Amino acid sequence: MGGKRRKSDDDDDVEAEASASGWKKKTRTTEKEEKEKKEPLRPSMIKNKEKRSELHAKLKQQKKLDKRAKAKARDAALKRALDLGEEPPEKKVPRTIENTRELDETVCKPDDDELFAGNDADEFGSILNQQQTPKILITTCRFHSTRGPAFISELLSVIPNAHYFKRGTYDLKKIVEYAKKKDFTSVIVVHTNRREPDALLIIGVPDGPTAHFKLSKLVLRKDIKNHGNPTGHKPELVLNNFTTRLGHRVGRLIQSLFPQDPEFKGRRVVTFHNQRDFIFFRHHRYIFETKEVKKTESKGKKDKEGKSENVPEQKTIARLQECGPRFTLKLISLQHGTFDTKGGEYEWVHKVICLITKPTPSFNSWSYIVKHFSHFRLAPLLFYCLFLLF
């Protein structure tokens, strides 16, 4: 009754024909084996934590070995090509956000005579042509914290000929009028929010423009490890990647804050590096040192004992020491003239571009109403009201 069925001769003939044709009966184990062959084992597929971490370490080590083997093969191919006098293999360039960015039509070209002809006629021409010495007025917002004046004290050490004035209850327009009377060339306002500086307002005096920057990632000098103390010399200014028309204008605005005759004896350098529309500020001191490097000559030249001679070679290197502060700026708006929130004309305003292509459902959409309200008990009443409306 409950015993196993005996194999008949017909069953044996069927199995023999199937094996001859290459067909195999699929079972659960065979399906699992095929799946493992197609898809390699990943750490996320293992539930045991110890085995998962062990597999992760093995995969990481194997990836490291593969990377090292590729580097050795690449170096060997380069050496072989140089020995044979052939052209070396083409060097692969990694894909980054910078080199895959779409071409910007507003990038300034070196032969753009129209752009550079207007440089002498803009608001910064007298300062950049050394006809006028920059004089900066620095103040705060009406309600500021202790971290705001600490940041301002470091700005005073960075920007030469800068003066700090307490804001008090004065309106910003009155401060700009005062700066015009006292022959200041720029006004910098440090805005604080929740005890942290979060914005910079740079106003060109007397004709503008006014630039509003968002300030983030502020690190003061005391928080920088092995920081240096700057001297009173005029710093050198480095502006990187201000290549578009807007960047050219913002770069000239920043350039007008510093004197155009740096004192190289002080070995100070102030850097504004623009990358992906973020301006990174750094302040360093540098020094040149001569270092001896032992260079091993070719195998043919050997000393009396038969060892290769190590000829010392002098090499000049540069060392940097950060002086601080360190922060990041993001341009929010650029306005014609001095500060005016009501009647001011804006040259450029930052707009947040939504990159989501999927359309947002509208409440006027019939499909949206059916999808989100059909499960309620009041759905029939809702449909009846919509029928009356239509």
Side-chain angles (χ1 to χ4, degrees):
M1 287 288 293
K4 292 183 180 179
R5 186 175 67 86
R6 289 183 180 180
K7 279 189 177 182
S8 62
D9 297 335
D10 297 336
D11 294 340
D12 295 336
D13 295 339
V14 170
E15 286 183 4
E17 289 177 3
S19 60
S21 61
W23 179 84
K24 189 178 181 181
K25 186 179 180 182
K26 280 192 176 183
T27 59
R28 290 184 180 178
T29 55
T30 55
E31 287 178 0
K32 191 175 181 182
E33 287 174 2
E34 288 179 4
K35 192 175 182 181
E36 287 179 356
K37 287 179 181 178
K38 291 180 181 178
E39 188 178 358
L41 189 64
R42 297 192 305 270
S44 59
M45 299 167 66
I46 300 174
K47 294 182 179 180
N48 191 302
K49 186 177 179 181
E50 291 183 2
K51 291 184 178 180
R52 185 169 64 244
S53 60
E54 185 179 350
L55 179 62
H56 174 71
K58 285 182 180 178
L59 292 175
K60 193 174 180 182
Q61 180 66 18
Q62 185 63 35
K63 189 176 180 181
K64 187 177 179 181
L65 293 174
D66 294 343
K67 187 177 179 182
R68 192 179 297 170
K70 285 181 181 179
K72 284 184 178 179
R74 190 165 56 246
D75 294 342
L78 179 63
K79 188 178 179 181
R80 193 184 309 112
L82 292 174
D83 291 341
L84 297 174
E86 300 175 354
E87 291 186 2
E90 188 178 354
K91 191 175 181 180
K92 294 182 179 179
V93 180
R95 287 173 58 87
T96 61
I97 295 177
E98 293 298 326
N99 59 21
T100 55
R101 172 178 283 186
E102 294 181 1
L103 184 64
D104 194 350
E105 297 178 356
T106 62
V107 172
C108 302
K109 297 180 180 179
D111 56 348
D112 194 348
D113 298 331
E114 182 184 352
L115 176 68
F116 296 107
N119 287 344
D120 297 334
D122 65 359
E123 302 92 335
F124 321 112
S126 60
I127 299 173
L128 300 184
N129 293 332
Q130 300 186 19
Q131 298 173 4
Q132 188 179 3
T133 305
K135 188 179 178 183
I136 315 300
L137 186 150
I138 302 178
T139 186
T140 61
C141 58
R142 288 182 178 176
F143 305 100
H144 61 272
S145 63
T146 55
R147 195 167 164 84
F151 173 55
I152 288 173
S153 65
E154 296 192 6
L155 278 182
L156 292 172
S157 65
V158 172
I159 304 174
N161 202 15
H163 308 274
Y164 170 64
F165 288 83
K166 289 185 179 180
R167 173 70 179 270
T169 57
Y170 290 102
D171 191 22
L172 191 54
K173 290 185 178 181
K174 292 183 179 179
I175 294 174
V176 173
E177 292 296 328
Y178 174 80
K180 288 180 182 178
K181 293 178 182 177
K182 296 296 181 180
D183 296 329
F184 283 95
T185 58
S186 296
V187 176
I188 298 178
V189 182
V190 179
H191 184 268
T192 57
N193 184 22
R194 295 183 179 180
R195 300 181 180 180
E196 186 73 21
D198 69 331
L200 275 184
L201 193 68
I202 302 177
I203 305 170
V205 178
D207 301 323
T210 301
H212 178 209
F213 293 95
K214 177 186 175 183
L215 189 145
S216 59
K217 304 291 181 67
L218 174 63
V219 181
L220 297 178
R221 185 180 300 146
K222 64 178 182 179
D223 300 325
I224 297 174
K225 188 177 180 181
N226 299 326
H227 66 84
N229 295 317
T231 59
H233 297 84
K234 296 177 185 177
E236 303 169 47
L237 184 63
V238 178
L239 300 174
N240 287 333
N241 294 337
F242 290 87
T243 54
T244 61
R245 287 182 174 270
L246 177 65
H248 183 74
R249 186 153 174 78
V250 173
R252 286 178 68 84
L253 173 66
I254 295 171
Q255 195 177 354
S256 66
L257 301 176
F258 294 87
Q260 303 305 305
D261 51 343
E263 297 175 349
F264 297 100
K265 188 179 179 180
R267 294 179 283 105
R268 288 179 60 196
V269 59
V270 173
T271 307
F272 289 88
H273 177 74
N274 178 32
Q275 188 172 358
R276 301 174 206 158
D277 298 333
F278 286 92
I279 302 172
F280 300 92
F281 173 85
R282 296 293 184 270
H283 181 205
H284 292 93
R285 290 180 63 198
Y286 64 88
I287 187 172
F288 294 107
E289 289 183 348
T290 304
K291 187 177 180 181
E292 287 189 357
V293 180
K294 290 184 178 180
K295 183 180 178 182
T296 305
E297 292 193 354
S298 59
K299 296 180 180 179
K301 293 185 179 181
K302 294 183 180 181
D303 56 3
K304 295 179 180 179
E305 298 178 0
K307 297 180 180 179
S308 59
E309 296 179 354
N310 293 331
V311 181
E313 181 185 358
Q314 289 188 347
K315 187 178 180 181
T316 304
I317 60 172
R319 291 198 301 111
L320 291 176
Q321 184 182 30
E322 191 169 358
C323 299
R326 181 195 305 170
F327 57 86
T328 305
L329 297 175
K330 171 79 172 176
L331 183 64
I332 303 299
S333 66
L334 187 65
Q335 183 182 358
H336 278 297
T338 55
F339 179 76
D340 189 2
T341 54
K342 294 183 179 179
E345 182 183 353
Y346 287 90
E347 296 183 36
W348 183 86
V349 178
H350 173 65
K351 294 180 181 178
V352 179
I353 301 173
C354 185
L355 299 176
I356 300 173
T357 56
K358 188 177 179 181
T360 306
S362 171
F363 279 97
N364 296 327
S365 174
W366 178 261
S367 61
Y368 183 84
I369 294 172
V370 171
K371 183 179 179 182
H372 290 81
F373 291 95
S374 59
H375 60 280
F376 290 108
R377 292 184 180 179
L378 297 177
L381 182 61
L382 176 65
F383 288 128
Y384 181 71
C385 294
L386 292 171
F387 175 75
L388 292 178
L389 287 172
F390 288 107

